[in-house]
Amino acid sequence: MADLDRVLATVDADLDASIERLFAFLRIPSISTDRAYAAECRRAGQWLADDLASLGFATKLNDTPGHPIVTAASNGGAERRVMFYGHYDVQPVDPLDLWESPPFEPRIVENAEGVKRIVARGSADDKGQVMTFVEACRAFVKATGKLPVEVTVMVEGEEESGSANIGPFVAAHKDELKADLALVCDTGMWDAQTPSIILSLRGLMHDEIVVHAADRDLHSGYYGGAAANPLHVLSKAIAAVHDANGHVAIPGFYDGVVEPPDYMKAAWSKLDLTPENFLGPVGLSLPSGEKDRLLIELISSRPTFEVNGMWGGYIGEGSKTVIPSIATAKISCRLVANQDPVRVRDAVRAFIRAQIPADCSVEFLGGEGSPAVAVTHDNPDLAKAAKALGDEWGTPPVTVGEGGSIPVVGQFKKVLGQDTLLVGFSLDDDRIHSPNEKYDLTSFHKGIRSWVRILAALAQ
Amino acid sequence: MADLDRVLATVDADLDASIERLFAFLRIPSISTDRAYAAECRRAGQWLADDLASLGFATKLNDTPGHPIVTAASNGGAERRVMFYGHYDVQPVDPLDLWESPPFEPRIVENAEGVKRIVARGSADDKGQVMTFVEACRAFVKATGKLPVEVTVMVEGEEESGSANIGPFVAAHKDELKADLALVCDTGMWDAQTPSIILSLRGLMHDEIVVHAADRDLHSGYYGGAAANPLHVLSKAIAAVHDANGHVAIPGFYDGVVEPPDYMKAAWSKLDLTPENFLGPVGLSLPSGEKDRLLIELISSRPTFEVNGMWGGYIGEGSKTVIPSIATAKISCRLVANQDPVRVRDAVRAFIRAQIPADCSVEFLGGEGSPAVAVTHDNPDLAKAAKALGDEWGTPPVTVGEGGSIPVVGQFKKVLGQDTLLVGFSLDDDRIHSPNEKYDLTSFHKGIRSWVRILAALAQ
């Protein structure tokens, strides 16, 4: 492992130069959602393409209907290839007056505990994280003359504004983007000491349920007690979705849901994710979901059914004695690996339909869905990456699912056929999307070192 | 009964003159809600006061902050006294272009089946009905020189615009308005052949339920499955209100509710009030309430719990993966005799509170209520009036409760201490509040005759 030590030493020696490069990248105000910054987005993409070209990558700034997508590929003859995804665009900076220093003038600030932080818009989300990977590649090239695995880079400029063009781009560039594994650096650490590998992202199915009762609004004095009230009907249907133990009672809802392996559940049960520290900050204390599951399961590896909006009848000031004709709920289900969004949608609809009285009707407006994505639990690259991270941080990574959804990662699996490991180094207090966004210098430095170790491990 | 026959014969002989008087009343456009018609409202009140004065009543046009209230009192020395309530104001006439003849130019129209109808705004609601009572008094005075019972008349001019001043007026004129019984002529026949006495009006309690969960809106990807969703909580609470048999499951809700006497239930079970003819016209077919009750009970003699409005979360276009922090429902309960609105409110609140998880909270914004009013089932005047109506129409009246509420009738009981019989002769097809309002000539003629018989009977 002399090679690895040399590369890590190079990372340490070159840290100041790495910071300077990141600062140059951060100074470009690449706000993707504001068309006034379109030229700055292109400039950021070009800056990254030029930097990758300096490492010997074949680079391209690919035009799209929106902002360009940077692609770069090494070609050193290594056996395996990884594809790295990130984004160079950033969130808007409003409210500007809450920033303690200008958002596009990066600086290093030391806090009261002596922790050094890079403060700038994009420092954590996602320029700083993208550069951990780029700097790791640079250190390999500088120290050894080559990369341990071939690397394809794809960095988009519209992640903060809807990612409209990345899906079609992936589909149109399958051969170019094909690799053994995808890597994403846009997630966080478990905590400041503990790294994390995100193994799955939940999918999403959303639908709109409209219950129709009488063909007009009715006076509750005349019809009250006799005519079906669609708000009662809908409430009863929603109430029936979860049983007393928090399970979703919809037949077929859990079809295909896989139990995580025992070793993973054992590791999860040792996490200090408690209702106090997870729900306390938002004013709650009792996990609302399945009573026989760990909190970490509820928010990552288990599917959910949530009502996101509901309305019907009179919702203005004062009172109105009406029995409405219609009641509506917008619902969404977070899906986990092997759940088919269409089957879940159909199961939900059949269940709701069965709750509706014979003289009422229900229609569904929606039903779009995207499946969850998950790394195969026995993918050997997972164990390699986990060991590499453990070596760097002195503690093995938490390997969990994340509750949210990043649709492009689904594309990597579906279109390119490759698993994705999501490894990132941001912290909960990085204030991404908010004023005074920061990225700890440790995140950046040890992030680079982590990628060095992971790339070396993936070559084995 | 020679006296009664002579009075009835007078009614028949004077019908044309009675119609002429009604037409004069109908020609005054006393639209109370439009201030432009304020002088016309006063003119209608004055017309009625003058007409009552011509019968020997001591009359007065009482000014209020709104339109004046007509009061009139006979003083012939009879043993008993009744107080009659009605209103001289009418609804607006829009949309005017749907009227087949000008709304304030009354005329008699014969339909294809030979049924004669008085067509004008106010013909059924309520000038025509008020005049059935006035003409009955007139026939007594003309045929016998006196009334069989003393009569106090109170006719307001703001019933169609909120009745804001009648309550305070009743409270301020208690002694003047005190009688043995109140009579109201502002309701309808059961059908064209069958008279009806409304024995009760339901009361009303309304409240607003606000469920609070997290202290901010949450992202359903991150918190879904773990954080309490107030729309689920509220739906479960609402769903728990009614059991599988449609009973309200709130402990104490039915406290004080009295079973109607068997003879009344027996009569009700013979009514042709079916789900088909009651719910069919609004597109429904299945009574939603208590399964062991007659439809007529559900809509008149039983209390109800209805959600009138409900909302929370995202209710705009498309979808938003939010778990809201708040969910709200506006509810109202129709109350029947002997239910205390405050006790019902407290029972509802205690029940809802018990459904709320420990880390959520609920607040209530509302809770106003007015009790139901009901004639005491064994009031002997009820039997007398029922027999009188049966004699006139050849079929005994249906004696039922009405689902709606007329707060001033509650005042008669509470402030004046007198029961109210609501007897009216309008029909379901009278188009009250709509263009081409009409009142069948039979309703008017036999309505006058009915009051003659009732007044005679009440004197016994």
Side-chain angles (χ1 to χ4, degrees), chain A residues 105-418:
Chain A
E105 295 180 17
R107 54 183 192 142
I108 290 181
V109 176
E110 198 170 323
N111 76 357
E113 288 80 43
V115 178
K116 287 182 179 161
R117 295 159 158 189
I118 301 163
V119 178
R121 170 57 87 229
S123 55
D125 184 20
D126 184 40
K127 286 173 175 170
Q129 305 234 66
V130 166
M131 291 308 287
T132 58
F133 186 82
V134 174
E135 293 297 338
C137 293
R138 193 186 322 271
F140 269 110
V141 172
K142 185 170 178 183
T144 69
K146 61 180 170 60
L147 292 165
V149 292
E150 296 309 316
V151 171
T152 300
V153 171
M154 176 177 72
V155 178
E156 70 161 314
E158 298 180 294
E159 201 273 343
E160 302 293 3
S161 55
S163 288
N165 295 300
I166 192 74
F169 183 83
V170 169
H173 297 77
K174 280 201 287 198
D175 294 342
E176 194 180 323
L177 298 169
K178 187 83 192 75
D180 297 295
L181 182 72
L183 300 171
V184 173
C185 192
D186 198 16
T187 53
M189 301 270 287
W190 180 255
D191 58 35
Q193 288 75 43
T194 317
S196 154
I197 301 177
I198 303 297
L199 292 179
S200 59
L201 296 161
R202 289 197 283 195
L204 189 63
M205 187 284 289
H206 49 83
D207 208 351
E208 190 166 317
I209 302 168
V210 186
V211 174
H212 297 265
D215 59 14
R216 69 204 73 173
D217 285 0
L218 302 176
H219 187 278
S220 75
Y222 193 52
Y223 287 96
N229 183 327
L231 286 168
H232 299 193
V233 171
L234 184 56
S235 291
K236 275 204 187 283
I238 296 299
V241 167
H242 294 93
D243 70 16
N245 290 315
H247 293 283
V248 173
I250 298 170
F253 184 79
Y254 292 104
D255 283 2
V257 174
V258 175
E259 284 298 316
D262 288 344
Y263 78 87
M264 204 167 277
K265 292 180 91 166
W268 288 349
S269 68
K270 291 190 195 105
L271 295 174
D272 65 340
L273 186 79
T274 63
E276 289 69 36
N277 62 32
F278 184 72
L279 293 173
V282 298
L284 296 172
S285 60
L286 305 170
S288 66
E290 299 166 278
K291 294 198 195 306
D292 54 351
R293 295 286 172 176
L294 298 170
L295 181 51
I296 185 68
E297 291 181 275
L298 298 180
I299 63 172
S300 64
S301 70
R302 298 294 294 173
T304 68
F305 177 104
E306 296 284 349
V307 180
N308 305 117
M310 187 165 166
W311 70 99
Y314 181 68
I315 63 176
E317 282 290 310
S319 66
K320 188 176 173 186
T321 48
V322 65
I323 299 175
S325 56
I326 290 176
T328 306
K330 287 178 190 278
I331 65 107
S332 63
C333 296
R334 296 282 164 178
L335 308 178
V336 300
N338 298 323
Q339 278 188 303
D340 175 6
V342 173
R343 283 188 61 184
V344 170
R345 182 199 68 192
D346 292 348
V348 168
R349 289 180 173 186
F351 180 84
I352 298 292
R353 243 183 232 112
Q355 315 298 316
I356 308 297
D359 64 346
C360 295
S361 65
V362 59
E363 61 177 331
F364 298 93
L365 313 170
E368 290 80 19
S370 59
V373 289
V375 176
T376 318
H377 285 305
D378 56 1
N379 185 323
D381 287 337
L382 170 58
K384 293 177 196 169
K387 174 160 191 321
L389 280 168
D391 289 347
E392 175 60 28
W393 293 88
T395 180
V398 172
T399 50
V400 291
E402 186 162 286
S405 310
I406 306 181
V408 72
V409 174
Q411 295 266 50
F412 299 161
K413 185 86 173 194
K414 193 169 160 189
V415 177
L416 306 178
Q418 62 218 35

Side-chain angles (χ1 to χ4, degrees), chain B residues 31-373:
Chain B
I31 302 170
S32 60
T33 200
D34 186 342
R35 296 305 299 178
Y37 291 86
E40 299 292 351
C41 287
R42 172 169 288 273
R43 193 154 71 89
Q46 189 65 58
W47 184 93
L48 185 64
D50 291 347
D51 194 47
L52 288 163
S54 76
L55 303 184
F57 284 72
T59 64
K60 200 171 162 197
L61 198 62
N62 303 273
D63 284 322
T64 76
H67 303 302
I69 294 169
V70 179
T71 52
S74 68
N75 193 7
E79 206 174 303
R80 305 191 73 208
R81 180 174 287 277
V82 297
M83 191 270 272
F84 178 87
Y85 164 83
H87 64 94
Y88 65 75
D89 63 320
V90 300
Q91 279 276 318
V93 295
D94 322 295
L96 191 57
D97 58 329
L98 294 184
W99 285 82
E100 286 161 20
S101 56
F104 297 108
E105 295 179 16
R107 53 181 193 143
I108 291 181
V109 176
E110 197 171 325
N111 77 355
E113 289 81 40
V115 177
K116 286 181 178 159
R117 295 158 158 190
I118 300 163
V119 177
R121 169 58 84 229
S123 56
D125 184 21
D126 183 38
K127 287 173 176 170
Q129 304 234 66
V130 166
M131 291 308 288
T132 59
F133 186 82
V134 175
E135 294 296 338
C137 293
R138 192 187 323 272
F140 269 109
V141 171
K142 186 171 177 182
T144 70
K146 61 183 171 60
L147 293 164
V149 292
E150 295 309 315
V151 171
T152 301
V153 171
M154 177 177 70
V155 177
E156 71 161 313
E158 299 180 292
E159 200 274 344
E160 303 293 3
S161 55
S163 288
N165 295 300
I166 193 73
F169 184 83
V170 169
H173 296 78
K174 279 200 288 196
D175 294 341
E176 193 181 323
L177 298 169
K178 187 82 192 75
D180 297 296
L181 183 71
L183 300 171
V184 174
C185 192
D186 198 16
T187 53
M189 302 269 288
W190 180 255
D191 59 35
Q193 288 76 43
T194 316
S196 152
I197 301 178
I198 303 297
L199 292 180
S200 61
L201 295 161
R202 288 196 282 195
L204 189 63
M205 188 283 290
H206 48 83
D207 208 351
E208 190 166 317
I209 302 167
V210 186
V211 174
H212 297 265
D215 59 15
R216 69 204 76 172
D217 285 1
L218 302 176
H219 188 278
S220 75
Y222 193 51
Y223 287 95
N229 184 325
L231 286 167
H232 298 193
V233 170
L234 184 56
S235 291
K236 275 204 186 280
I238 296 299
V241 167
H242 294 93
D243 70 16
N245 290 315
H247 294 283
V248 173
I250 297 170
F253 185 79
Y254 292 104
D255 283 2
V257 175
V258 174
E259 284 297 317
D262 286 346
Y263 78 87
M264 204 169 277
K265 292 181 92 165
W268 288 349
S269 68
K270 290 188 195 108
L271 296 174
D272 66 339
L273 185 79
T274 63
E276 288 70 36
N277 60 33
F278 183 73
L279 294 173
V282 298
L284 295 172
S285 60
L286 304 171
S288 65
E290 299 166 278
K291 292 198 198 309
D292 55 350
R293 297 284 172 175
L294 298 170
L295 181 50
I296 184 69
E297 292 181 274
L298 297 180
I299 63 172
S300 63
S301 71
R302 298 295 293 173
T304 67
F305 177 104
E306 296 285 347
V307 180
N308 305 118
M310 187 166 166
W311 70 100
Y314 181 68
I315 63 175
E317 283 289 306
S319 64
K320 187 176 175 187
T321 49
V322 66
I323 298 176
S325 57
I326 290 176
T328 306
K330 287 179 190 278
I331 65 107
S332 62
C333 294
R334 295 283 165 177
L335 308 178
V336 300
N338 299 322
Q339 279 187 302
D340 174 8
V342 173
R343 283 187 61 183
V344 170
R345 182 199 69 191
D346 292 348
V348 168
R349 289 180 173 186
F351 180 84
I352 298 291
R353 243 182 232 113
Q355 314 299 315
I356 308 296
D359 64 346
C360 296
S361 65
V362 59
E363 62 177 330
F364 298 93
L365 314 170
E368 289 80 20
S370 59
V373 288

